[in-house]
Amino acid sequence: MKIALAQLNYHIGNFTSNTAKIITAIENARAQQAEIIVFSELAIGGYPAKDLLQNATFLKQCNESITTIASHCQDILCIIGAPIPNTDPEGKALYNAAVCLENGKITHISKKGLLPNYDVFDEYRYFEPSRKFSCFTYKKTKIALTICEDLWDDDQGNNSYVGDPMNELLQENPDLLINIAASPFSYVHYQDRVAVLKAQVAKAKRPLIYVNQVGAHMDIIFDGRSLAIDENGTICCELKKFEEDLQIIEYRDQTIKATTAFTVPQDQEIALIHDALLLGLRDYFHKSGFKKAVLGLSGGLDSALVAALACEALGSENVLAILLPSIYSSDHSIQDALDLVKNTNCAHHIIPIKDITQAYETTLAPFFEGQQAGVTEENIQARTRGTLLMAISNKFGHIVLNTSNKSEAAVGYGTLYGDMAGSISVIGDVYKSKAYDLARYINRNKEIIPSNTIEKAPSAELRPDQKDSDSLPPYDLLDEILFLHIEKQKSKEEILAQGYDLNIVEKIIKLVNNAEFKRFQAPPILRISPKAFGPGRSMPLVAFYQ
């Protein structure tokens, strides 16, 4: 039989659009003689729906969508993820389920057992874990149908009482494995994902179909890359990354093959990060109903990077760059910003902030009498810029893009209500050292980001001859230690064991701990790493760090 893998970009709560999109995919698959079509985890309603899963109207619309879709499943089996009510009053109200629809009705339901509640996941908040797992048969083919984590054979220490869903299913000797998933993107996750899928194929000695979510829902980005793996562990079909796709594979006698030629793509890490950020930015605007973006353009790397990404994702006609020079802004920085405007063809305005900051300082002079000028006066410049950007946003409906990088966010090298302002943090999960790689990648075909912006020493230009290195270790060293502490969650002692200087390590960890209150007020961040600031790294706002 032919089986369709349907990888679609869903809009949480947009049942009209999602249902129409699903029905179109079903009709497309049926036109290609497919007998089964497989969609991703919780496709009905979108994922992650969070507390909408506790909303009666939302759940009613989920049920109505299932009924509508089922009426279009004539002569084709549709496997799709959906929240399903739990009739047992003792448990949670819902199951995370894979629903089989055929000829207008539900013919089988598989329920998820291993509910992740680590990193960005919080499924145990909403769903009851299933404790029973069994295969079902369709046209003499016994299918082991699982949902995301249930295939991983490792529940991260959660819900261990559920058992091992795959082991139970394999005892029934299935002919085919199907897994529907919502596996978020990080630039290192694909290899782990494929390794797990291939390990299950090796154990079962049966082919596997894996359909993943694609699209971005604020901080979480799904890369798609749905797969078909034959019984020998060879990937015979992989759907597009960061795009919708539908592919047909052929199944016969416990083996599968692709209907079109396929070559395993060679991934470049920085290209994946670039494409993920574009999707995250584009979906944030389109799914929120926003069209125009505004950002402060300083002539530095970070704002240039965000401007270039925004122009590529949204179209340069939808991006407004505001140059906000102070008395400390160098001529070359202003020229670098203007060169980027020319290269991207976005609109721009120049608003000098000298008089505004002087007015603040004059107003505050009686309160600050006898105090030396310092960080407070530097931050007034940053907050003046933030106020002006928010005023433009307020007046014209442009969404402010935050331009802080992960290195700055980690150590608190940013000003609350100043350069930390914005509705979305575009590169808040990109370390400064990786930002240079990303800028060079953007320039791979022609110069978009001026070469001087990439080559000059980074500076906030808040005082004469200021350099980031005045306050921080070199970014290459800083980012190595931050990566060990944040992504790898290594202690001070474990980091020191790798040969780093005690004073530098202690300084960096102290900066990270002390900046928690700032990150708590920062805009949401597009997640591209295994451990981003935000929901995936939940730290107490008030704590004592030894």
Side-chain angles (χ1 to χ4, degrees):
M1 72 176 90
K2 289 184 177 181
I3 302 175
L5 286 66
Q7 178 180 287
L8 303 180
N9 187 344
Y10 305 103
H11 187 183
I12 296 170
N14 191 341
F15 291 93
T16 300
S17 172
N18 292 345
T19 302
K21 186 177 288 192
I22 290 164
I23 291 169
T24 298
I26 292 170
E27 292 171 348
N28 186 355
R30 188 164 43 222
Q32 299 181 64
Q33 289 79 51
E35 296 177 61
I36 299 177
I37 182 169
V38 185
F39 296 90
S40 61
E41 179 180 6
L42 291 172
I44 303 291
Y47 181 90
K50 299 191 175 182
D51 280 6
L52 285 177
L53 291 166
Q54 297 173 338
N55 182 289
T57 300
F58 179 87
L59 295 174
K60 178 175 179 288
Q61 290 175 310
C62 284
N63 189 52
E64 290 171 351
S65 180
I66 291 172
T67 301
T68 300
I69 293 166
S71 69
H72 289 264
C73 296
Q74 306 300 322
D75 303 317
I76 189 170
L77 174 69
C78 169
I79 298 174
I80 192 165
I84 294 296
N86 175 19
T87 56
D88 186 346
E90 295 300 317
K92 300 280 176 61
L94 299 171
Y95 284 109
N96 181 344
V99 181
C100 296
L101 307 174
E102 185 184 6
N103 296 325
K105 60 184 180 180
I106 297 174
T107 57
H108 176 78
I109 298 175
S110 291
K111 301 166 186 174
K112 190 172 183 178
L114 302 179
L115 302 173
N117 61 346
Y118 57 89
D119 197 66
V120 297
F121 302 104
D122 194 13
E123 289 190 27
Y124 199 68
R125 177 183 176 95
Y126 309 104
F127 298 113
E128 179 71 10
S130 177
R131 295 166 181 81
K132 296 179 181 179
F133 310 95
S134 59
C135 299
F136 74 99
T137 300
Y138 177 73
K139 294 191 174 181
K140 299 182 179 180
T141 299
K142 186 181 290 186
I143 299 173
L145 175 59
T146 54
I147 306 168
C148 204
E149 199 89 359
D150 285 355
L151 190 76
W152 281 66
D153 209 12
D154 177 6
D155 65 358
Q156 303 275 340
N158 301 310
N159 310 320
S160 57
Y161 57 88
V162 168
D164 186 336
M166 278 305 299
N167 274 348
E168 289 189 37
L169 291 167
L170 292 182
Q171 290 175 13
E172 298 183 28
N173 194 28
D175 301 306
L176 175 66
L177 314 179
I178 295 178
N179 181 263
I180 64 172
S183 179
F185 169 79
S186 86
Y187 60 81
V188 296
H189 186 54
Y190 175 78
Q191 294 80 3
D192 293 339
R193 182 193 298 163
V194 170
V196 167
L197 299 179
K198 287 187 174 183
Q200 291 291 2
V201 169
K203 184 191 297 185
K205 297 180 174 57
R206 295 291 185 269
L208 166 67
I209 290 168
Y210 167 87
V211 177
N212 191 27
Q213 286 262 3
V214 69
H217 307 281
M218 189 49 258
D219 51 326
I220 301 178
I221 300 168
F222 296 102
D223 56 331
R225 307 189 81 174
S226 303
L227 298 166
I229 303 177
D230 69 20
E231 67 279 7
N232 299 314
T234 301
I235 298 175
C236 61
C237 177
E238 179 178 305
L239 276 59
K240 295 174 183 176
K241 46 182 174 281
F242 307 113
E243 293 183 46
E244 292 189 327
D245 199 4
L246 187 144
Q247 295 289 335
I248 305 290
I249 61 102
E250 291 185 352
Y251 169 83
R252 183 189 301 273
D253 298 331
Q254 298 180 349
T255 187
I256 60 174
K257 65 178 182 178
T259 56
T260 57
F262 170 73
T263 303
V264 176
Q266 299 300 310
D267 290 328
Q268 185 182 356
E269 181 181 285
I270 204 67
L272 291 173
I273 292 173
H274 170 265
D275 293 350
L277 292 175
L278 290 183
L279 177 61
L281 192 53
R282 190 179 297 122
D283 271 11
Y284 175 75
F285 272 74
H286 291 175
K287 292 179 179 180
S288 300
F290 304 138
K291 294 186 181 300
K292 304 283 187 177
V294 63
L295 75 157
L297 193 62
S298 67
L301 179 72
D302 298 329
S303 63
L305 193 53
V306 172
L309 289 166
C311 287
E312 189 174 355
L314 308 175
S316 57
E317 70 277 9
N318 293 313
V319 178
L320 174 61
I322 306 295
L323 283 65
L324 299 155
S326 74
I327 58 173
Y328 303 121
S329 298
S330 60
D331 292 339
H332 69 77
S333 289
I334 296 172
Q335 187 57 53
D336 290 341
L338 291 173
D339 287 344
L340 184 129
V341 166
K342 180 180 178 181
N343 293 344
T344 59
N345 198 34
C346 68
H348 80 286
H349 292 290
I350 301 176
I351 307 177
I353 65 168
K354 175 185 174 182
D355 293 343
I356 302 174
T357 55
Q358 183 62 56
Y360 273 117
E361 291 174 9
T362 300
T363 302
L364 290 167
F367 298 94
F368 292 173
E369 186 176 359
Q371 301 290 319
Q372 284 192 336
V375 173
T376 299
E377 286 70 24
E378 293 176 15
N379 287 345
I380 286 173
Q381 297 173 66
R383 291 188 174 117
T384 297
R385 289 172 171 138
T387 299
L388 292 173
L389 290 173
M390 290 307 302
I392 292 168
S393 171
N394 212 190
K395 181 64 71 175
F396 300 107
H398 289 46
I399 300 303
V400 177
L401 303 180
N402 176 265
T403 61
S404 300
N405 63 60
K406 189 171 188 175
S407 307
E408 294 172 343
V411 297
Y413 194 63
T415 304
L416 277 173
Y417 327 118
D419 56 335
M420 290 181 66
S423 296
I424 180 172
S425 177
V426 180
I427 59 169
D429 200 24
V430 179
Y431 286 115
K432 184 76 169 190
S433 51
K434 199 173 288 289
Y436 285 100
D437 296 335
L438 187 53
R440 295 185 185 98
Y441 179 79
I442 287 173
N443 285 357
R444 64 195 181 281
N445 296 321
K446 64 176 183 177
E447 184 172 283
I448 302 294
I449 298 175
S451 58
N452 191 56
T453 296
I454 299 173
E455 293 164 5
K456 67 186 177 185
S459 169
E461 294 191 328
L462 296 176
R463 62 175 181 268
D465 300 317
Q466 181 188 33
K467 298 289 185 294
D468 290 5
S469 56
D470 298 341
S471 306
L472 301 173
Y475 278 114
D476 286 346
L477 175 60
L478 173 66
D479 291 350
E480 287 178 8
I481 295 172
L482 288 175
F483 181 83
L484 291 171
H485 184 57
I486 297 167
E487 270 85 346
K488 295 298 185 180
Q489 302 181 55
K490 300 295 184 183
S491 67
K492 180 184 77 172
E493 290 72 23
E494 291 173 309
I495 297 172
L496 291 173
Q498 298 194 28
Y500 293 98
D501 179 79
L502 172 64
N503 292 331
I504 292 176
V505 172
E506 287 188 336
K507 176 182 178 180
I508 291 172
I509 292 177
K510 183 177 181 181
L511 287 171
V512 172
N513 293 339
N514 288 348
E516 198 62 48
F517 79 100
K518 286 188 175 183
R519 290 190 293 273
F520 193 81
Q521 300 179 69
I525 295 169
L526 295 179
R527 176 187 184 272
I528 55 95
S529 81
K531 184 63 67 174
F533 294 124
R537 186 181 183 272
S538 183
M539 301 294 287
L541 184 57
V542 179
F544 175 75
Y545 295 97
Q546 180 67 46

